[in-house]
Structure formats: C-alpha cells, structure tokens
C-alpha cells in the first residue's frame, strides 16, 4: 500500500510526508467548505422541522406534542428528499476534494416529472441521502464546532507568548486561554511550546475529521452494493447487446458485399460461359470443357447462394419475417405449415434472431424428431414477438445434450428474450420463443 | 424468319445487364434500351414501345419491388406488352401479382439464376412473347409443397410434368425434356388435369393458368 498514493485523508495521515503533502490543505478546504451546503440545507430543513420545535415546547399537552412530532416527521420524510437530493449532488462533487476515487450516485435515471418522483421516492439511495442530510445538520455543527474551538485554543496557546507580551503591555490584564491564565511572556513560553507541538498535530486532527466525514459521505451518497451490482449487470448486458449488434451488423455487411460483389460477378461469368457453350459444337473437346466449366460455375452459384442465405437471407432483409419463414418452411423436408401474423416489420436484430431460431428449430425437427409435420407460428402479443415451432415427432429433445438448443437460448437471451421447451418422451415437441420488440427504440 | 423482338432491359447490376444485353443480342433480340432503375424503365418503355420488357424485380432506389411495380404499371397501360420479371428468390406474392395482371397472358416470372442456362432462358422469353405464360419451376414446386391436397394425389412423375406444364411447355416439349413418349406425356397430363378437376385442354397457356390458379387456391 505504501507504494500507492493515499486516496483519502484517513489513508494520508499514516504517511511520513503527510505534513508536506497536499492532504492537510485539502482536508482544511473540505472542512471549511462544509459550511456552505450545510447552511443552505439548514434553512429549508429548519422550516420542515418547525413542528418539532413546537413538539419540544412545554406549552402544549402531550397529545398536541405527539401530533406536532408526527407532523414534523411527515414533513421531513415527505419534502426532505427534495432538499437532500440536490444537497447530495453538491456533496458528491465536494467529496472529490478529499477522495480520489469517483463516487457515483445510486440513482437510476428517470425522465418525466411523475416518473422521476415515483422512482426517487422508491429508491434506497434517496433515503440514504436524506439520512446524510439529517446527520450533516445534526452532528456536523457539534463536531465541527468542537474542532474549531480546539483549533482556536491551540492557535491561542502557540501565540500566547506574543499575546501575553502585547496584552500585558496594553492593559496589564492576564491573558486568559480557557482555564489557563498567563501573566507574562516568560510564563507563556511553556504554553507556547506546547501550543506549537499541538499546532503540528492540528492538521492530523483536521485530516481525521475530514476523512471521517468523507467516509460517511461516501458510504451514504454512493451506490450500495446491490445498486453497484445491478449497475454493473446493466453495463455488462448492454455491452453484450452492443457486441451482438456489432456482430449482426457485420453479418449484414458480409452478406451485402457477397451479394453485390461476388455473386453478381459469378452470375455474369456463368452467363458468359453459357453463351460460349452454345456457340461451340457440342461434340468438340472445347465444347465439353466449356460445358463442364459452365456446370461447375452453376454449382458454385448454388453454393454461394446457400452460403449467403446462411449468413443473412436476402428475403428477410427485403420482405420481412413472414416471407422468410414461409421460404424456410418451403425448404424443410418435413412439411411445415406457417402462420405468421405480424402487422409490421420488426426491428432488424429481433427479426434476424427469430429467423435463425426458426431455421435451427426446423433443422432439428428434420434431423432428430422423426416428425411427419410441423407448424410454425409467429405473432406479436403486445410488444413481444412469440414464435412457436411444434412438431408431431417423438419428443425427448434435451437442451443438455448437444449445443443447438442452448445456442438458441443464448441467442434469444442476448436480446432479452426467453426460450421455453416442452418435449416429453413420445412427443409432441413445442418450442416457444418470446422476444421483446421495441426494447431499444432509441 | 421471325420478326425481331424489341426488348427493353432493366437490371441494376451493370455486369449482369451487359451480359443479358449481349445474350439477347446474340439470340436475335433487339435490345432498344438497357436501364438500371424503374424510373428509367418506364421512360424507356414509353419512348421505345418494345415488344418485351425484361426486368429485375428488386431495383433502386428502394431495392424492394420497384421493377415489379413498373412492370404491372406498363402492362396496365399496354395490355399486349410481354413482361418477364426476374427475381432473386421465389416470392409467391410477386408471381401472383404478375399472373393476375391481364389474365397472365404474356408474362413470365423467373429466378435470376435461370439466365445462365441461356437456351432455356431464351426459349422461355420466346414463349412469353408468343402469348404464353412462364412460371419458374421453383414456384410450382413451392405451390405443390404448400398445397396439402394434390401432393397426396399426384405421383412423383406427375408432379414433374405439372411443373413443366406450369413452365408453359407443350406436350411435345415435355416429351423431349423428359425423354418419354408422346402417349405417356398425354396420359400424365390427362391424369393430372383429372385429379385436380381441371378442364382437359391442350392449349398450353390456359393449362398453365388453370394449374397455377388451382395450386394457388389450395396453397
């Protein structure tokens, strides 16, 4: 730890070079600037707490005092957060003076006045901040007051030889420093020496007080561990979604490049070969070679088209999910009926995921299920796309075996959807996928 | 000697457009205009009054079905105009829209990849120009897959013949393609039409439409 720089006053006081570091000054700055926000918050809080003053007064009966106490509590709890929230914001900024680690608020973003109020009053962070405000107003004056009294006393002690000299010269009265009375410079000298020693200790005390305050502020104004975890989770899932989005965009780019480039050229080349093939006498050697080349090129065309379809089918890009699902069903060896009831185009990523889920599911049906028919339905329920693949096969599909089904579930989970599978031994198998749409409308 | 067929060609891919223009020229078509988008297609068709329009379905600016829209519009303005639409993939709604325009006379719907079989492609174009209807065999195959009914009733050979009927082939052409006797083809065709309750006719154009209408009805 000694090799790293101290991060707050509490860590700094243990250092040998503390007194010549910036920490005493930072601590002093922190302590002095506490006055501003504390005073600014004190005024509204004093208003809110007025009923408490009435409750403490002995002029009222017990019942009335209880009512006043309750009213005060209600006011502080109800309106206090409105003061505590901005105060916390200022305090978090001020905390940078004595804390090198950034402290972030535990609030979740909320827009709109009604939603903002609902979210803020429901958050633990808000109530911690209210607690901080109350502590600041109740405890800080006492502790800070005591500290400044001591500081004043120590400064006075240190200056006592000078003061005693001046004082005796001016009025002849003894210099009074609390319980100590000093009559002459000579008498003041030991006090002065003690004062000087204590003066050197003053920065330590300031750092300890500032450090304690800062630690408390950090604990109450930052994120709680649950909030931190949630924030991290949100960030992780956001970055996962970004990754998958980038991956999806890359697929589309590759598909577009292949379609506009290689495929066009290949069709044109095959067309030319076809033309030459017609020109050449069919029996000749050149004729046979060109015919072979033409057939090869046609095979390559088919392969390239299949490849492109596997990356991202053109019909999906152009015509949307219902058309792509119908085409998928047409290519399945097991007869598939399709019912796609989608009023509008889905976002591209959701559309792509649904398509690939359906493709993989139908491939599974053909490979493993021994089904004689399958049904594919796609419909939107509210803002959720529900895709179902049902077959009359032997069932027993198990996500644990093989990676196909878990891969599907992962793919769906990335965009916040879920996959449900029912496949009892003997069948039938029903795969249901729910994909939220319009999740990322921004 | 057949009269020269005047063609307006619309395809946004430059390579394929040039290839197609060369191909058509080689086989005695006269390409009066070769354009790259639907707007230019409409303008060129208005200017040149061609006998045949060969158009890609998916073209700029929107890259959805601009070519098809233009083709349907041209057919509405000039009922006799022959139109062959080329598609990247089978889209039954596209085929249906074309076939529904002016009773499906002189229309063709082919997959783009067909163009590389130059002789088949050219003969399909000629059938359309001569008043026929040509539908890509993949369309028929899809319709057959989707229609629950005839699938169970037709034999594999009959389905093969059905696809050829839908492609606008005459009985004698089917004889040549499948290497079977005239009588056998006649028997298959009779069986198919009977099984599907379609009127028995040798008019290949009406046959195509009857078959397609039937399949679309059951799909």
């Amino acid at each position: 730890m000694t090799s790293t720089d101290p991060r707050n006053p509490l860590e700094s006081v243990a250092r040998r070079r503390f007194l010549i570091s910036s920490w005493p000054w930072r601590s002093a700055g922190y302590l002095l600037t506490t006055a501003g926000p504390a005073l600014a918050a004190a005024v509204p809080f004093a208003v809110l707490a007025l009923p408490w003053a009435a409750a403490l007064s002995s002029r009222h009966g017990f019942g009335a005092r209880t009512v006043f106490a309750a009213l005060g509590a209600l006011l502080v709890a109800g309106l206090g957060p409105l003061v505590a929230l901005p105060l916390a914001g200022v305090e978090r900024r001020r905390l940078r003076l004595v804390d090198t680690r950034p402290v972030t608020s535990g609030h979740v973003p909320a827009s709109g006045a009604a939603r903002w109020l609902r979210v803020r009053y429901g958050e633990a962070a808000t109530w911690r901040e209210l607690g901080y405000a109350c502590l600041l107003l109740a405890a800080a004056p006492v502790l800070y007051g005591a500290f400044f009294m001591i500081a004043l006393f120590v400064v006075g002690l240190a200056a006592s030889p000078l003061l005693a000299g001046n004082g005796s010269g001016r009025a002849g009265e003894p210099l009074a420093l609390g319980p100590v009375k000093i009559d002459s410079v000579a008498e003041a000298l030991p006090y002065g020496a003690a004062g000087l020693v204590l003066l050197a200790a003053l920065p330590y005390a300031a750092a300890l007080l500032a450090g304690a305050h800062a630690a408390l502020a950090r604990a109450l104004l930052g994120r709680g561990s649950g909030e931190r975890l949630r924030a991290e989770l949100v960030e992780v899932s956001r970055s996962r979604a970004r990754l998958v989005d980038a991956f999806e965009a890359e697929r589309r780019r590759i598909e577009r490049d292949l379609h506009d480039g290689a495929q066009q050229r290949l069709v044109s080349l095959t067309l030319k070969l076809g033309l030459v093939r017609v020109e050449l006498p069919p029996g000749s050697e050149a004729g046979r070679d060109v015919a072979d080349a033409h057939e090869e090129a046609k095979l390559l065309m088919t392969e390239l088209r299949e490849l492109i379809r596997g990356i991202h089918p053109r019909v999906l890009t152009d015509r949307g999910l219902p058309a792509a699902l119908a085409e998928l069903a047409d290519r399945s060896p097991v007869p598939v009926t399709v019912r796609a009831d989608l009023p509008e185009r889905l976002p591209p990523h959701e559309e792509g995921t649904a398509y690939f889920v359906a493709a993989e599911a139908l491939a599974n049906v053909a490979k493993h299920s021994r089904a004689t028919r399958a049904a594919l339905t796609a419909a939107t329920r509210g803002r959720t796309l529900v895709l179902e693949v049902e077959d009359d096969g032997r069932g027993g599909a198990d996500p644990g075996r093989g990676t196909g089904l878990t891969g599907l579930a992962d793919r769906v989970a990335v965009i916040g959807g879920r996959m449900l599978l029912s496949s009892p031994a003997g069948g039938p198998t029903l795969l249901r996928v729910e994909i939220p749409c319009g999740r990322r409308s921004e | 000697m057949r009269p020269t067929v005047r063609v307006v060609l619309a395809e946004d891919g430059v390579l394929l457009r040039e290839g197609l223009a060369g191909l058509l020229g080689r086989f005695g078509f006269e390409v009066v205009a070769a354009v790259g988008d639907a707007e230019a297609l409409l303008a060129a068709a208005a200017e040149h009054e061609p006998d045949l329009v060969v158009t890609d379905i998916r073209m700029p600016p929107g890259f959805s079905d601009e070519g098809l829209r233009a083709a349907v519009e041209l057919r509405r303005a000039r009922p006799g105009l022959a139109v062959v639409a080329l598609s990247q993939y089978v889209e039954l709604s596209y085929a249906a829209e074309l076939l529904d325009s002016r009773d499906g006379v002189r229309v063709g719907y082919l997959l783009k990849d067909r163009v590389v079989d130059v002789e088949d492609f050219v003969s399909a174009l000629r059938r359309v120009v001569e008043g026929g209807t040509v539908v890509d065999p993949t369309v028929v195959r899809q319709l057959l897959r989707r229609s629950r009914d005839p699938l169970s009733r037709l034999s594999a050979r009959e389905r093969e013949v059905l696809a050829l009927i839908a492609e606008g082939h005459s009985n004698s052409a089917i004889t040549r393609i499948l290497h079977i006797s005239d009588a056998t083809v006649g028997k298959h065709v009779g069986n198919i039409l009977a099984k599907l309750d379609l009127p028995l006719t040798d008019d290949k154009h009406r046959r195509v439409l009857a078959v397609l209408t039937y399949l679309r009805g059951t799909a």
Side-chain angles (χ1 to χ4, degrees):
Chain A
M1 280 303 281
T2 45
S3 61
T4 56
D5 288 330
R7 294 173 300 180
N8 56 45
L10 293 182
E11 284 180 15
S12 71
V13 291
R15 302 302 168 89
R16 268 185 305 159
R17 304 165 75 85
F18 168 73
L19 284 177
I20 55 168
S21 73
S22 65
W23 286 105
W25 301 105
R26 293 170 79 156
S27 301
Y30 187 69
L31 294 180
L32 288 172
T33 53
T34 300
L39 285 176
V43 177
F45 265 104
V47 174
L48 293 177
L50 266 182
W52 280 343
L56 290 174
S57 130
S58 51
R59 277 183 300 151
H60 302 288
F62 179 74
R65 289 166 73 169
T66 314
V67 169
F68 277 124
L71 182 65
L74 209 64
L75 278 175
V76 170
L79 298 175
L82 298 180
V83 183
L85 283 168
L87 173 70
V90 172
E91 285 297 87
R92 267 191 295 274
R93 287 176 173 278
R94 214 164 59 80
L95 198 54
R96 293 181 200 165
L97 212 57
V98 284
D99 196 333
T100 55
R101 293 163 299 168
V103 57
T104 39
S105 94
H107 295 297
V108 294
S111 53
R115 189 174 139 65
W116 186 87
L117 283 173
R118 207 168 53 241
V119 170
R120 286 294 170 266
Y121 276 87
E123 280 181 323
T126 304
W127 301 106
R128 281 203 309 273
E129 286 168 2
L130 182 62
Y132 174 83
C134 294
L135 265 178
L136 182 71
L137 297 179
V142 179
L143 290 170
Y144 275 62
F147 175 77
F148 280 107
M149 294 300 285
I150 291 170
L152 214 59
F153 178 68
V154 168
V155 171
L157 273 186
S160 59
L162 302 174
L163 293 171
N166 287 342
S168 59
R170 201 173 54 222
E173 278 175 24
L175 176 68
L177 279 170
V180 185
K181 291 215 164 25
I182 302 161
D183 289 318
S184 65
V185 176
E187 210 175 315
L189 277 176
Y191 292 111
L196 280 176
V197 172
L198 287 175
L199 201 60
L202 213 50
Y204 286 93
L208 285 176
L209 181 61
H213 185 165
L216 187 74
R218 191 176 175 84
L220 289 177
L221 304 181
R223 284 180 181 150
S225 64
E227 288 155 350
R228 202 153 47 227
L229 201 61
R230 196 166 56 229
E232 278 164 14
L233 257 177
V234 166
E235 186 39 48
V236 165
S237 55
R238 277 203 191 128
S239 93
R240 186 171 68 161
R242 278 197 299 274
L243 264 178
V244 174
D245 272 349
F247 181 64
E248 187 70 18
E250 188 65 8
R251 285 174 83 99
R252 282 156 182 277
R253 191 189 62 74
I254 293 171
E255 184 270 337
R256 212 169 39 242
D257 286 356
L258 281 177
H259 180 266
D260 295 343
Q263 198 177 30
Q264 301 278 353
R265 281 179 188 280
L266 185 56
V267 171
S268 153
L269 171 69
T270 315
L271 178 60
K272 278 184 188 137
L273 281 172
L275 271 176
V276 179
R277 182 181 183 175
V278 174
E279 299 283 309
L280 290 170
S284 70
E285 199 171 325
R288 272 199 305 278
D289 284 349
V290 170
D292 283 351
H294 187 224
E295 292 303 320
E296 286 277 330
K298 284 205 287 187
L299 277 180
L300 187 53
M301 267 173 60
T302 313
E303 274 176 27
L304 185 60
R305 187 154 17 81
E306 289 304 310
L307 181 70
I308 291 176
R309 194 198 308 279
I311 295 169
H312 197 98
R314 175 62 44 168
V315 60
L316 181 62
T317 316
D318 289 356
R319 306 278 296 169
L321 194 57
L325 290 181
E327 206 219 16
L328 205 55
D330 286 329
R331 299 157 52 76
S332 161
V334 179
V336 180
T337 52
V338 180
R339 236 184 40 240
D341 189 15
L342 305 171
E344 54 191 31
R345 282 293 292 263
L346 304 170
H349 193 168
E350 282 71 6
E351 203 169 53
T353 305
Y355 174 84
F356 283 107
V357 166
E360 183 71 26
L362 285 185
N364 279 344
V365 169
K367 259 188 279 175
H368 310 299
S369 75
R370 295 191 197 150
T372 58
R373 69 170 69 85
L376 189 60
T377 53
T380 43
R381 307 249 165 84
R383 304 194 69 108
T384 304
L385 168 70
V386 179
L387 181 82
E388 285 185 342
V389 185
E390 196 172 6
D391 70 61
D392 63 350
R394 59 182 173 154
D398 180 5
R401 286 175 310 164
T403 55
L405 283 170
T406 28
L408 281 188
D410 284 348
R411 213 166 167 157
V412 172
V414 163
I415 53 172
R418 59 181 189 150
M419 187 180 97
L420 306 141
L421 176 73
S422 152
S423 183
T429 299
L430 173 66
L431 179 82
R432 180 186 165 103
V433 167
E434 296 169 0
I435 297 172
C437 295
R439 173 182 57 97
R440 285 165 300 156
S441 50
E442 66 262 31
Chain B
M1 182 74 194
R2 285 188 260 217
T4 314
V5 178
R6 300 172 69 249
V7 186
V8 167
L9 178 64
E11 156 67 49
D12 60 308
V14 180
L15 279 173
L16 187 56
R17 183 164 75 228
E18 283 173 2
L20 274 175
L23 160 76
L24 293 174
R26 191 80 61 90
F27 282 86
F29 293 81
E30 185 194 347
V31 179
V32 291
V35 298
D37 62 72
E39 286 282 311
L41 167 60
L42 290 175
E47 186 191 338
H48 297 287
E49 303 213 330
D51 307 304
L52 170 66
V53 165
V54 177
T55 179
D56 186 6
I57 284 182
R58 184 177 180 277
M59 277 197 295
F63 290 103
S64 66
D65 56 356
E66 287 80 359
L68 180 75
R69 297 269 79 79
V72 170
E73 194 177 323
L74 287 173
R75 295 259 304 164
R76 200 175 301 131
R78 276 184 53 204
L81 178 67
V83 168
V84 172
L86 303 177
S87 185
Q88 191 70 45
Y89 44 82
V90 173
E91 172 58 48
L92 291 179
S93 66
Y94 291 163
E97 201 166 335
L98 270 178
L99 291 169
D100 287 340
S101 77
R102 302 274 168 192
D103 294 338
V105 184
R106 290 178 206 269
V107 292
Y109 177 85
L110 290 173
L111 284 186
K112 236 180 191 178
D113 288 359
R114 302 285 166 221
V115 304
V116 302
D117 289 313
V118 285
E119 283 181 305
D120 294 348
F121 177 63
V122 167
S123 95
L125 293 188
R126 291 213 186 281
R127 287 202 298 282
V128 171
V129 172
E130 284 158 14
T133 308
V134 174
V135 172
D136 198 277
T138 325
V139 173
V140 179
R141 235 173 284 140
Q142 277 203 5
L143 286 170
L144 274 173
R145 293 180 55 92
R146 286 187 191 184
S147 59
R148 297 152 291 273
D149 202 23
L151 198 66
S152 51
R153 288 200 265 162
L154 297 184
S155 71
R157 190 54 137 183
E158 283 165 353
R159 264 178 269 156
E160 215 171 332
V161 173
L162 183 66
L164 289 169
I165 292 176
E167 273 188 88
H169 289 292
S170 64
N171 280 12
S172 52
I174 296 172
T175 305
R176 274 199 310 280
I177 293 166
L178 294 180
H179 304 293
I180 50 177
S181 75
D182 232 358
T184 320
V185 170
K187 198 184 81 202
H188 283 316
V189 171
N191 281 347
I192 293 165
L193 297 179
K195 279 184 185 176
L196 304 187
D197 301 320
L198 293 174
L200 195 60
T201 169
D202 277 341
D203 178 333
K204 56 186 194 208
H205 164 63
R206 281 168 69 191
R207 234 166 44 174
V208 173
L209 291 178
V211 165
L212 288 172
T213 308
Y214 177 82
L215 289 178
R216 281 163 61 197
T218 55

